[in-house]
Amino acid sequence: MRIPLDQPADDLVLDELLAVAKDVLDTAVRDRLAAQGGVPDLRDPDLALDRLLVSAHRETGTAIAIRCELEHKFSVDNQGFARMRARAARGLKSRPAALRLKYRDAARRILARYWPSDLDVALGLAVELLERLTTWEQDISFAVHDVVDEVGARLGEVLLLPNPWTADAQEVPQGYLGSLERRLSTPADELFLLVYRARQMFDEELVPLLRADISWGDGGLSMVAQDLVDDLEYARRTARKLARTRAEVEAARSDFTGADLRDTDLEGVSLKGVLWDATTFWPALWEAQIRRASTPRGDDGVLVVAVEPQESAVPADV
């Protein structure tokens, strides 16, 4: 963390702690309001939080001034603050079950944008083709079109991700959906930029060499191809990070084992693919239909709501 010369370090510690506390409380307030149908008119969560802090200050009669104790408990280094933020932000499944269920369809649409296809597989195929260029010991001109088209197509799959340069012009959802999008966009932006640069190198350096009808002995093609392989292998690690984040978001969207949904309005909610078990509580009027529509996932006691191709698992008029 860079410390401004005109601001004492202890002030920064206090500011950072208050910012984290505000984020945690703000998330809880917004989640509860969203699960109940949205923010009421003329009720602003930030204003409510400000009043809560003022009230706490008046009750205690003092500001949080024991800075030496705070500094002893919390480190001022970046890793300490990163851990604090991670604890505050982690665990999408810990968000209210009613909220996660309410936004299942919207979360599915966000997931589709950030994982348009299996990006790890796409990059793996591109790497495989490029590695062949580094090992062939013959004239490769006969394979030029195949290599150019296939590698270009695989990189193009990755570049279907949201463009981080135009993201500012798009409206990012707030609340729970915003947290999902931000969680996915962090590795997705990194992956897009890595592959974008690799695509530029492919188009501007490798393709001209391929189309020059040169033989393997010229050497330049092998060097460029190996550079691309190295770059794309690094990008694959980022793709796997995005895949893990996607799995976390999918679990928050679909895993309701142990959730209490008795007071949740299920009308119009898509339940196909929802995971649940004996510790999940459904609204009384829906439980029988959900049981009939569900099948075991395996031997772990978890059930999945399955919908036949031409009929709804849970009738809309229940």
Side-chain angles (χ1 to χ4, degrees):
M1 179 173 64
R2 184 165 54 189
I3 300 178
L5 296 178
D6 58 346
Q7 187 169 5
D10 53 358
D11 286 347
L12 290 174
V13 173
L14 182 58
D15 290 345
E16 190 74 22
L17 292 172
L18 289 175
V20 172
K22 180 182 183 300
D23 288 343
V24 172
L25 184 56
D26 184 60
T27 297
V29 170
R30 291 181 185 276
D31 280 357
R32 183 169 182 180
L33 292 174
Q36 296 174 351
V39 180
D41 293 338
L42 303 179
R43 295 294 185 93
D44 180 75
D46 289 330
L47 179 59
L49 178 60
D50 291 340
R51 290 175 178 173
L52 175 63
L53 292 174
V54 170
S55 177
H57 172 67
R58 288 175 178 171
E59 289 294 326
T60 58
T62 179
I64 305 175
I66 312 177
R67 294 182 177 175
C68 57
E69 294 183 8
L70 291 175
E71 291 170 356
H72 178 71
K73 186 175 182 181
F74 299 102
S75 171
V76 297
D77 64 280
N78 287 334
Q79 292 183 349
F81 287 128
R83 288 193 295 269
M84 291 167 56
R85 290 194 181 98
R87 286 196 296 268
R90 73 186 176 195
L92 292 173
K93 283 181 60 180
S94 66
R95 306 291 283 270
L99 185 74
R100 294 188 286 120
L101 193 61
K102 176 181 178 181
Y103 291 110
R104 283 198 78 228
D105 282 344
R108 176 183 55 78
R109 291 191 291 270
I110 292 174
L111 279 169
R113 292 178 57 228
Y114 284 96
W115 195 255
S117 62
D118 194 325
L119 304 182
D120 185 29
V121 170
L123 289 172
L125 292 172
V127 167
E128 182 180 340
L129 286 167
L130 292 168
E131 284 179 333
R132 292 172 64 185
L133 295 182
T134 67
T135 57
W136 284 347
E137 297 179 354
Q138 57 187 6
D139 191 302
I140 61 167
S141 59
F142 70 91
V144 166
H145 294 294
D146 290 341
V147 171
V148 170
D149 292 345
E150 283 298 315
V151 174
R154 301 293 78 79
L155 299 184
E157 288 184 46
V158 182
L159 296 178
L160 291 175
L161 288 169
N163 188 327
W165 288 305
T166 60
D168 291 341
Q170 301 172 358
E171 183 177 354
V172 177
Q174 299 298 314
Y176 172 67
L177 292 179
S179 68
L180 297 187
E181 182 140 358
R182 286 187 292 273
R183 188 73 62 90
L184 288 161
S185 67
T186 299
D189 289 353
E190 180 184 356
L191 178 59
F192 183 97
L193 296 175
L194 288 171
V195 175
Y196 180 85
R197 288 193 289 267
R199 179 60 185 262
Q200 283 186 312
M201 184 177 181
F202 175 74
D203 290 339
E204 297 172 7
E205 298 185 38
L206 185 62
V207 171
L209 289 174
L210 286 170
R211 297 196 185 282
D213 195 21
I214 63 174
S215 65
W216 174 255
D218 291 284
L221 187 149
S222 173
M223 184 179 301
V224 176
Q226 186 58 55
D227 286 344
L228 272 171
V229 167
D230 295 339
D231 289 348
L232 293 181
E233 284 289 9
Y234 183 81
R236 288 190 75 184
R237 292 198 290 271
T238 305
R240 291 167 188 150
K241 184 193 304 182
L242 176 58
R244 291 191 296 271
T245 305
R246 175 183 179 275
E248 178 189 354
V249 173
E250 180 59 43
R253 174 182 174 266
S254 298
D255 190 348
F256 291 88
T257 55
D260 186 349
L261 298 166
R262 284 174 291 191
D263 296 327
T264 303
D265 182 7
L266 300 184
E267 189 67 38
V269 175
S270 172
L271 297 177
K272 180 181 179 181
V274 164
L275 303 176
W276 62 285
D277 62 7
T279 62
T280 303
F281 294 96
W282 297 102
L285 294 177
W286 289 75
E287 185 171 2
Q289 289 85 355
I290 292 174
R291 287 186 179 279
R292 287 196 296 268
S294 301
T295 58
R297 183 183 66 173
D299 299 330
D300 55 359
V302 176
L303 302 169
V304 56
V305 178
V307 179
E308 296 296 332
Q310 296 182 348
E311 63 183 36
S312 174
V314 182
D317 58 352
V318 173

